[in-house]
Amino acid sequence: MSIGCEVAGNLSVLAVPGAAEPPERKDRLWEDTCLELFVGAKGSGGYWEFNLSPAGHWNVYRFASYREGKREEPAFSSLPFGVRSGPGSLRFSLELDLGMFLPAGTDAEIGICAVIRTRKAGTSHWALVHPGPRPDFHRRDGFAMTLPGE
């Protein structure tokens, strides 16, 4: 599966972490500007959360059910993804082998989200859908895309 996401606009107002050397697995990336991807097997309460920082840091968590049983997913020792910054855009790209953690033939429900921190106004939360009264990326009814299993 290939995922691409672009943040476009006046990036000078955003708080975007600079590239880190070396990028590493880190916790709490959602406290800054980051892309988040949620993947769950259709019909299952469990799901995975992928965090990608513009700095190159990353993490993958597995949840047993809605916000329960959080742990780092050991199936991933690295998460190669791309971040490109240009005039007026910040682009993320990720190639993900769903077979690393989903059984073959399983439909995947997916949520694509972003946390955007500005220099002055704080944080905003973006997603394909926000089904509740406030942003909550972990809600399964917010996993708005379905990819058929292969």
Side-chain angles (χ1 to χ4, degrees), residues 17-36:
E21 279 301 324
E24 59 189 2
R25 183 175 220 155
K26 289 187 83 169
D27 197 23
R28 307 185 70 80
L29 294 175
W30 56 84
E31 293 178 349
D32 285 308
T33 297
C34 75
L35 179 70
E36 296 190 2

Side-chain angles (χ1 to χ4, degrees), residues 1 37-48 50 98 101-102 106-112 128 139-149:
M1 170 178 77
L37 173 69
F38 290 81
V39 179
K42 189 169 186 165
S44 167
Y47 61 95
W48 290 261
F50 295 78
L98 295 177
F101 57 97
L102 290 180
T106 303
D107 291 351
E109 297 175 328
I110 297 173
I112 301 173
L128 297 175
R139 288 179 55 141
R140 276 307 275 269
D141 52 353
F143 294 22
M145 294 175 52
T146 301
L147 288 178

